[in-house]
Amino acid sequence: MTDIVRADGRTIDQLRQVVIERGWSAHAEGSALISFGGTKVLCTASFTGGVPRWLTGKGKGWVTAEYAMLPRATNSRNDRESIKGKVGGRTHEISRLIGRALRAVVDTKALGENTIVIDCDVLQADGGTRTAAITGAYVALADAIEWGRRKGLVAKKAEVLLDSVSAISVGIIDGEPMLDLAYVEDVRAETDMNVVVTGRGLFVEVQGTAEGAPFDKAELDTLLELGVAGCASLREQQAAALADEAAEA
């Protein structure tokens, strides 16, 4: 890596400050307020008995997610999508992405015929909202599963979570690959990519687009290496948050 220092003082392979406040909501079965620098996302997990009608009787559970941005999460106010009367394409896409990422590490048979819905609400946006949402949603999901276990809704020895999952953004700016793009970097990136990785280092999803000049395989490999390393660091922070006994009280 080069010695380039970014606008916020980070090196090109350095995450923004990550803070995970587990158990943030007093009412949800699992919750986490996660910060990637100036981006803050509240993730709440709701555990309910039963599954959608198309899964009834199949002995499997269901995990899904909904994503939304508060009106003043950005520099100017945006109308709530409920007021507009329809959910936007970007919101649908991110909601599906979060759900896919979580289901990739869940044994739905071990979950039993139960449903967990993760709500990811962006309180403040400064780039990387979907990656922060996935990373925080995993922590909320883990706590919701343990809540179900304590209530006897999930078998005591059932291994519902097969692995952890996290996500981070990478991109190329002025020809230089960088990790975890803040908004001021994201808007001028020549290549923008989101990487979703399991704790074992396996890819769940890679979303990459050349906004300017196309990128070559060497640049792609560098971006993926940055993303895997960034997610490895996020995995450690997720584990540390989930090991905090105070948050379980």
Side-chain angles (χ1 to χ4, degrees):
M1 296 295 173
T2 66
D3 295 326
I4 291 175
V5 177
R6 296 151 78 172
D8 58 8
R10 288 183 291 148
T11 58
I12 60 175
D13 59 347
Q14 186 177 6
L15 294 170
R16 289 175 286 178
Q17 182 183 21
V18 177
V19 179
I20 302 175
E21 299 178 58
R22 178 176 162 226
W24 195 88
S25 172
H27 305 295
E29 285 72 55
S31 66
L33 176 63
I34 187 165
S35 302
F36 278 17
T39 289
K40 298 181 184 296
V41 184
L42 175 59
C43 306
T44 55
S46 300
F47 190 112
T48 58
V51 291
R53 186 166 23 181
W54 52 273
L55 270 178
T56 300
K58 295 185 178 180
K60 296 181 179 180
W62 184 241
V63 175
T64 188
E66 296 185 15
Y67 166 98
M69 293 184 71
L70 295 189
R72 277 312 302 266
T74 56
N75 290 332
S76 58
R77 186 183 187 280
N78 295 302
D79 289 338
R80 297 180 190 273
E81 291 183 328
S82 59
I83 299 298
K84 294 179 182 179
K86 65 177 181 177
V87 176
R90 177 180 181 274
T91 299
H92 269 307
E93 181 233 329
I94 296 175
S95 296
R96 289 195 295 266
L97 170 63
I98 299 167
R100 285 195 302 273
L102 297 174
R103 290 192 297 273
V105 297
V106 170
D107 182 340
T108 54
K109 287 187 177 180
L111 179 60
E113 291 202 7
N114 299 297
T115 298
I116 300 177
V117 180
I118 315 289
D119 289 291
C120 299
D121 292 294
V122 180
L123 310 184
Q124 184 170 285
D126 186 23
T129 61
R130 72 186 69 192
T131 57
I134 291 169
T135 305
Y138 169 77
V139 175
L141 172 65
D143 272 345
I145 291 169
E146 291 310 308
W147 179 91
R149 202 186 305 277
R150 292 194 301 272
K151 296 295 183 180
L153 301 171
V154 175
K156 285 186 177 181
K157 296 184 178 180
E159 294 187 21
V160 180
L161 286 175
L162 305 173
D163 204 345
S164 62
V165 67
S166 60
I168 200 65
S169 64
V170 291
I172 298 175
I173 300 171
D174 297 331
E176 202 65 54
M178 295 185 182
L179 176 69
D180 190 16
L181 307 186
Y183 179 75
V184 293
E185 297 169 328
D186 183 63
V187 294
R188 52 188 291 264
E190 294 122 46
T191 297
D192 183 23
M193 187 175 293
N194 296 300
V195 183
V196 185
V197 182
T198 69
R200 291 183 292 154
L202 303 178
F203 294 103
V204 176
E205 193 147 341
V206 176
Q207 301 178 329
T209 305
E211 302 289 351
F215 53 92
D216 60 27
K217 184 177 182 299
E219 290 172 317
L220 173 60
D221 289 343
T222 299
L223 290 174
L224 292 178
E225 288 172 5
L226 277 172
V228 169
C231 286
S233 178
L234 291 173
R235 178 192 66 215
E236 293 175 359
Q237 296 189 62
Q238 288 172 321
L242 288 167
D244 183 3
E245 293 182 3
E248 296 177 3

